[in-house]
Amino acid sequence: MIDLMIEKSDVGDILRRALDGERLGVEDGVRLFESNDVAAIGAVANQIRTRINGDRAYYVINRHINYTDICQNRCRFCAFSRSEGDPNAYAMSIDEIIHRAQTQWQSIKFTELHLVGGLHPTLPLSYYTDMLSALNQRFPTVHIQAFTAVEIAHIAKIGGLSIKETLIELRDAGLGSIPGGGAEVFSPRVRSIVCPEKMLGEKWLDVMRQAHELGIKSNSTMLYGHVETYRERVEHMVALRKLQDETGGFMTFIPLKFHAANTDLSQLASPISSTEDLKLYSVSRLMVDNIEHVKVFWIMLGLKLAQVALSFGADDFDGTVVEEKITHRAGASTPQGLTVSDIKRLIEESGHRPVERDTVYNLIPAGTP
Ligand code: V47
Ligand code: SF4
């Protein structure tokens, strides 16, 4: 069946090479995006996904906390951030962060805390290290995934330390791994339009390189569906793949679908169809051949399409999340969180086997409290 699909496809030559384990180039990726044969591209991506991860679809019991929405970058695609002095802006105290996690802990024993916030102009380095130490002390068994590469570069500047020194301070205070945000699209053209104040893509890659060299694993992302071209998407993926060849420190690649409501780009962005979304998951699986997992963050893609994406290259459904502000302020209609039984049901309905993992993809045997 798959052979017939490949034979008939306008990108059959590329799909055959991908299936044979050959690395694809930028021109191949661009042609895949230009093709309308999502069925054949998806079938091959699914075959490769199954080779790597079998019929497993991973999930994690986690709790997101967006500790502050005050941000000096004010990216044009971001509906979450506010300026300092805005009466609606917030910055949580360490006690408040602990309290939020604690409230959740009473009903569900999460294995991961996921902390992402804005670039606060004045909070000192000790705020971040104290936050990690306090969480680590209160929840010693929980993995703390915190601070995007952009936040880490900002914390370094605030603390007057190098990136390496900052990473060591954060690690010693309890940082387990780094989320994938802040990558957006590496192209300087795209960044100058959608996030002119944000650090360059090269800097993002450099922070990740240094983290990986210290043994701190991370995720990687690409924010798609705004002004980027197919080529810029593919070049972004190839840049991640190149760093992964060097360090092996990326655990997962997460395409993040742009939500336009309440952002400065609401007029500019062209809406992305579900077919295009699925193609993007499939092309990701084919291009980023050395990152083991492709995650569908159900909050951003929507539950039903996230289920389908598990057959188009994705193998990870992320988690229970509980509270999410970044996409919801930009118009997401998904719930803020899911129960474990909801996640398992959604994965099973999609024809896959739900497997609980911890943040760094150790499998958690069923029935573990
Ligand atoms: O860098 C901001 C994205 C990221 C919008 O590692 C938006 O598992 C869509 O780091 N529409 C921050 N996306 C969140 C982040 C993250 C999210 C999910 C999973 C993981 C992980 C990390 O959120 C930002 C940006 O790329 N973002 N605004 C928006 N309007
Ligand atoms: Fe700030 Fe992150 Fe929003 Fe950009 S995406 S404005 S860095 S919170």
Side-chain angles (χ1 to χ4, degrees):
M1 177 67 173
I2 201 165
D3 286 333
L4 197 63
M5 287 173 97
I6 291 175
E7 205 179 295
K8 290 185 163 213
S9 177
D10 61 331
V11 285
D13 56 320
I14 302 174
L15 296 177
R16 173 60 57 202
R17 281 191 279 119
L19 214 44
D20 290 346
E22 208 181 289
R23 177 161 274 194
L24 303 181
V26 171
E27 299 309 322
D28 296 323
V30 173
R31 269 185 65 207
L32 289 173
F33 273 121
E34 284 168 351
S35 167
N36 287 323
D37 198 354
V38 183
I41 298 169
V44 172
N46 189 43
Q47 185 109 336
I48 289 170
R49 171 250 196 264
T50 308
R51 243 184 232 165
I52 306 170
N53 289 295
D55 64 348
R56 295 182 291 281
Y58 303 92
Y59 68 93
V60 59
I61 303 182
N62 63 356
R63 212 288 182 201
H64 280 221
I65 298 179
N66 300 126
Y67 58 89
T68 181
D69 62 357
I70 297 172
C71 184
Q72 62 188 42
N73 266 11
R74 306 305 312 271
C75 302
R76 295 187 67 209
F77 57 75
C78 180
F80 166 67
S81 63
R82 307 216 197 281
S83 296
E84 202 183 25
D86 181 326
N88 296 317
Y90 71 87
M92 293 179 193
S93 65
I94 311 283
D95 282 349
E96 193 176 345
I97 293 169
I98 298 279
H99 177 71
R100 279 181 189 247
Q102 181 64 41
T103 314
Q104 187 61 20
W105 187 255
Q106 273 145 18
S107 53
I108 185 163
K109 300 286 175 276
F110 46 81
T111 63
E112 169 186 290
L113 276 168
H114 182 108
L115 300 149
V116 169
L119 310 189
H120 194 289
T122 52
L123 287 171
L125 171 67
S126 58
Y127 171 79
Y128 303 94
T129 47
D130 288 352
M131 183 198 307
L132 292 169
S133 310
L135 286 168
N136 208 28
Q137 201 177 6
R138 173 60 196 86
F139 306 103
T141 59
V142 171
H143 182 107
I144 305 176
Q145 181 166 78
F147 315 137
T148 66
V150 176
E151 288 165 88
I152 288 169
H154 173 72
I155 298 166
K157 211 176 203 177
I158 288 265
L161 298 177
S162 69
I163 298 290
K164 188 173 176 186
E165 288 163 344
T166 307
L167 285 163
I168 292 171
E169 290 270 328
L170 295 172
R171 184 190 62 189
D172 291 351
L175 179 75
S177 62
I178 302 176
E184 322 314 355
V185 176
F186 294 140
S187 150
R189 183 196 75 84
V190 173
R191 281 179 122 71
S192 72
I193 301 169
V194 307
C195 51
E197 304 300 326
K198 189 163 263 176
M199 69 191 196
L200 295 177
E202 276 155 34
K203 178 83 181 173
W204 186 96
L205 289 163
D206 181 52
V207 173
M208 288 307 195
R209 179 182 287 105
Q210 297 198 50
H212 296 172
E213 281 168 0
L214 287 169
I216 305 170
K217 298 253 180 202
S218 77
N219 295 338
S220 62
T221 57
M222 179 177 75
L223 180 74
Y224 72 94
H226 40 91
V227 303
E228 83 287 1
T229 62
Y230 288 154
R231 185 170 296 276
E232 285 161 343
R233 283 184 190 172
V234 177
E235 284 171 352
H236 181 97
M237 292 175 189
V238 168
L240 290 173
R241 187 173 78 183
K242 186 162 173 282
L243 181 56
Q244 179 73 346
D245 274 345
E246 289 171 38
T247 67
F250 289 122
M251 299 180 285
T252 181
F253 175 60
I254 316 160
L256 299 176
K257 180 176 176 140
F258 173 53
H259 284 57
N262 309 316
T263 75
D264 287 350
L265 296 184
S266 51
Q267 305 301 321
L268 216 94
S270 45
I272 293 262
S273 70
S274 299
T275 327
E276 278 287 310
D277 286 321
L278 291 177
K279 198 199 309 179
L280 191 129
Y281 276 85
S282 299
V283 176
S284 303
R285 184 59 289 169
L286 298 179
M287 291 304 303
V288 191
D289 55 13
N290 54 358
I291 299 183
E292 202 171 335
H293 302 285
V294 173
K295 184 196 285 190
V296 53
F297 190 49
W298 59 263
I299 293 232
M300 293 203 189
L301 201 59
L303 293 175
K304 286 188 189 304
L305 201 55
Q307 285 179 299
V308 184
L310 292 174
S311 298
F312 278 75
D315 59 273
D316 190 305
F317 207 69
D318 198 78
T320 43
V321 180
V322 183
E323 187 182 22
E324 199 275 349
K325 295 189 196 299
I326 296 173
T327 333
H328 282 85
R329 284 190 180 171
S333 55
T334 42
Q336 295 235 359
L338 286 175
T339 63
V340 173
S341 58
D342 281 341
I343 293 180
K344 284 168 129 175
R345 178 183 50 78
L346 288 161
I347 290 173
E348 275 162 5
E349 277 173 11
S350 79
H352 296 89
R353 186 158 53 91
V355 174
E356 188 187 343
R357 62 162 176 90
D358 66 11
T359 311
V360 294
Y361 288 87
N362 294 308
L363 304 191
I364 298 180
T368 307

